[in-house]
Each structure stands twice: as structure tokens, then as C-alpha cells.
Amino acid sequence: MSSPLIFLKPIFISVIIPVILGTVFYQLDSFDPASYPTHVLSTDPPIVAPKRNNQMLRRSEKIGVNQLLSPEDVAYDQKSGVIYTGCVDGWVKKVKVNESAADSTVEDWVFTGGRPLGLALGRHGEVIVADADKGLLLNVTSVGEIKVLTEEAEGLKFKLADAVDVAEDGIIYFSDASYKYNIEQYIYDILEGRPNGRLLSYDPSTKQTKTLLSDLYFANGVAVSPDQNYVIFCETPLRKCKKYYIKGEKKGSVDMFVDNLPGFPDNIRYDGEGHYWIAFASEKTYSWDLTLRYPFIRKIMAIMVKYVGQPKAEKNGGVLSVDLQGNPLEHYYDEDLTMVSSGIKIGDHLYCGSVKSPYILRLNLKQNPAVQTS
Ligand SMILES: *[C@@H]1O[C@H](CO)[C@@H](O)[C@H](O)[C@H]1NC(C)=O
Ligand SMILES: *[C@@H]1O[C@H](CO)[C@@H](O)[C@H](O)[C@H]1NC(C)=O
């Protein structure tokens, strides 16, 4: 007969040792998350779009498979019919789309050597690129020459230059998601729970960079409103998009644009037809609610990320369209989609970038519309 202690051994290995090690790591690790102030976290039930399509991935075509690695943002040049996107290999690529996904072509256009994230068409045929890794805002001229526009505001360098848009008067609006953590460390910024992000502007006529807003929670997507009165920006962990007024009586003030989003917003894009398209990295989940509410959970998660690796990303990434008042209209998503980072509507198609996939997704909205669900 074997000793009853033998039954204790597996318990010792599988439970007690990890608990002891976990406690030691917890005590020793210097990561020090903060509480999100209760008023900043959305607690109401998420808004629900009247029309939905939960088969987005299954219904989409893939463009540039294995040539477009983690294409975060997408920008369309109507004149040339080219889509620009920034990839994790450091290249800004030109995608010439064809009605047949397989006949679409990808060209390596310019190598920034960093991590091109947000991009937007400039006023003179150039492409403005936010390079996260280099912490730079770049002017990539129409002939593919790279010029640095700015790298800091008020003495504080950009660490995670993220999203960008250009107003009609040429002023460039962009976000630095975090002055503290770089793109590889972005998850720590969310887990830390401190507002390390900024909304910024760069005026090419004066070469001046301004901090419009600081103390933002992972300042992400940026879109200038079609009437040029305000700039919308998204704060990813808060599931909110807000308006920052750039003109008129309210100039300099902030209003809510859309709150209680059903997912964690990345880029937001205006389609020229009265709708904004907000990309979601994932849906809001109960476990994320708890994680954001309790700093000790975020500390444990940070330790796990450090020593074990990033947890599996959540499901139901996608894109939500809203009207000019921020009312939800159509929601496209899929259980198997994660880390959708941008969505732009071109004609009948929705083109989406993702920081996880090796392609751009294209969904034919005419053939696969979101439908009324009761
Ligand atoms: C699409 O690709 C086909 C085959 O390569 C080509 O014949 C056609 O001209 C392309 N269409 C466009 C709009 O580029
Ligand atoms: C980018 O460079 C081009 C070429 O010099 C210039 O025409 C354009 O105005 C520049 N854009 C910005 C925003 O500085």
C-alpha cells in the first residue's frame, strides 16, 4: 500500500507551489496599477445597434494574404484607387484592390523602419503616418520620401504615436496612446490604469505641435468631423469616443460622442456619407469589467503577461457604424474575429485592418448587410 501522502504530491505541485510563487512574484513585482476612477468606467449596459451581422469573418474576403502583416490602419486615396496600410514589418504598403480579391496587388511602398500605425491622406498627395515604434509623425511625400514632422510636445516625446487624421485646413490631429509604454508593452498601459495618453495637433504652416488634451486613457482613434468643428478620439479601455471642439464657442472643450460601446474601440473613420466606423479589438466581457475594476487583478495579469505570455485575445472583434450624433446603426462582428483595428467604407465594401491578421478583410455590405434583429 502506498502512503496517503502520495495524493498530496499532485496538489502540492499543481496548487501550493504556484500559490507560493504567485505570492512571491506579487510581492516583489514593482508593477503598480491604479484604480480607474469609478466615474470614468462605463457601467451601463452596452449600446446595441439595431442592425447586426455576426458572420463578418465568414462572409469576408481576404486581401494580400501573407503580404500584409498586421495592417493596423487603412487609408484610401480616391484619386488613385489605392489603399495605404502600415504593417508590422515596418513597411507602408500600397494595395490596389480588384473586384477579385486574388487579383488585388500589394506593393511595398516605403520602409519607415519602425511600426507605422495610423495613416491619413495629406492635402498635397502625401500620406501622414504615425510611427508608433519611433514615436514620430511622418510626412511620406507622393514620391515616397520620408520627412519627420514632429516627435514631441511640450518636451514630452511620443512613445506610442497611434492614430491620425488631417483637417481641411491642413492641421494634423493625432494621438499618442501612451507616453510611458511602447507598442510591445501596450497591454501594460491598459493594465496600469493611468491616463498616459494625449490628443495632439501639428500645424504644418507654423511647424508647431500642441497638446490639446493630456491624461487620456490609451488615446486611440482620431477622426475630424465633416463640418470641421470637432475631432473625435477614442479611449480604448473606457469604451468611449469623445468630441474635442476645434472651432466655435465650445472650442477647447470636450463632450461625449458615444459611451458604453459594446467593444473596445481602436480606430474611428468617417465615410463621407454621414457615418463613422468604429473598429473593435474585442467585445466587452464580464471578465474585462472585473479586470478594469480591480487593480489587484490587473497586477496578477501583468505578472502573467511578463512571465507566462499574453492571454488569448477576446472574441467578437468587428466594426460598428454610428451616425453623426453617435447613434449606433450597424454592427458587424464575428466570434472568431479579434483585434480588428480599423474599418473604412469604400463603395459597397467595408475594408478592415487588424493588428493580428496577415491580410485586410473585405466585406461586401450589399451582399452581407447587417439586418434588423429584435
Ligand atoms: C482585375 O484583375 C483582372 C485580372 O488581373 C484585370 O484584368 C482587371 O483589369 C482588374 N480590374 C481592375 C479594376 O483593376
Ligand atoms: C509633405 O511634404 C511635401 C513635399 O515636400 C509637401 O508638399 C507637403 O506640404 C508636406 N506636408 C506636410 C503636412 O508637411
Side-chain angles (χ1 to χ4, degrees), residues 218-286:
F218 207 86
N220 209 327
V222 172
V224 180
S225 67
D227 63 9
Q228 307 293 302
N229 280 337
Y230 52 88
V231 176
I232 297 178
F233 63 95
C234 307
E235 290 181 276
T236 302
L238 308 188
R239 290 186 290 109
K240 298 176 202 289
C241 302
K242 294 176 185 166
K243 292 175 177 182
Y244 173 85
Y245 291 90
I246 53 177
K247 281 216 181 85
E249 275 172 33
K250 289 188 143 182
K251 187 173 171 176
S253 65
V254 176
D255 270 349
M256 190 62 73
F257 177 60
V258 51
D259 198 356
N260 299 303
L261 287 165
F264 292 95
D266 195 324
N267 281 299
I268 177 167
R269 287 287 172 216
Y270 183 65
D271 67 3
E273 302 168 1
H275 314 120
Y276 293 96
W277 295 80
I278 305 169
F280 293 142
S282 84
E283 66 180 337
K284 159 203 145 70
T285 57
Y286 184 61

Side-chain angles (χ1 to χ4, degrees), residues 273-347:
E273 302 168 1
H275 314 120
Y276 293 96
W277 295 80
I278 305 169
F280 293 142
S282 84
E283 66 180 337
K284 159 203 145 70
T285 57
Y286 184 61
S287 63
W288 264 114
D289 281 350
L290 288 180
T291 302
L292 293 175
R293 201 166 314 148
Y294 298 109
F296 81 90
I297 300 183
R298 284 186 268 119
K299 176 149 181 172
I300 293 167
M301 281 186 62
I303 292 168
M304 298 278 289
V305 170
K306 196 159 156 191
Y307 297 103
V308 185
Q310 202 118 327
K312 226 180 126 250
E314 302 276 359
K315 304 180 292 187
N316 287 319
V319 184
L320 173 76
S321 68
V322 301
D323 66 17
L324 292 174
Q325 283 71 47
N327 301 306
L329 300 171
E330 298 178 356
H331 190 181
Y332 297 86
Y333 58 101
D334 197 302
E335 202 176 32
D336 296 322
L337 256 185
T338 187
M339 303 304 273
V340 177
S341 44
S342 53
I344 55 171
K345 184 170 176 287
I346 307 170

Side-chain angles (χ1 to χ4, degrees), residues 32-41 190-195 217 238 290-296 298:
D32 178 30
S35 292
Y36 281 92
T38 43
H39 68 273
V40 311
L41 289 178
I190 305 229
L191 295 175
E192 186 183 278
R194 288 195 178 80
Y217 290 92
L238 308 188
L290 288 180
T291 302
L292 293 175
R293 201 166 314 148
Y294 298 109
F296 81 90
R298 284 186 268 119

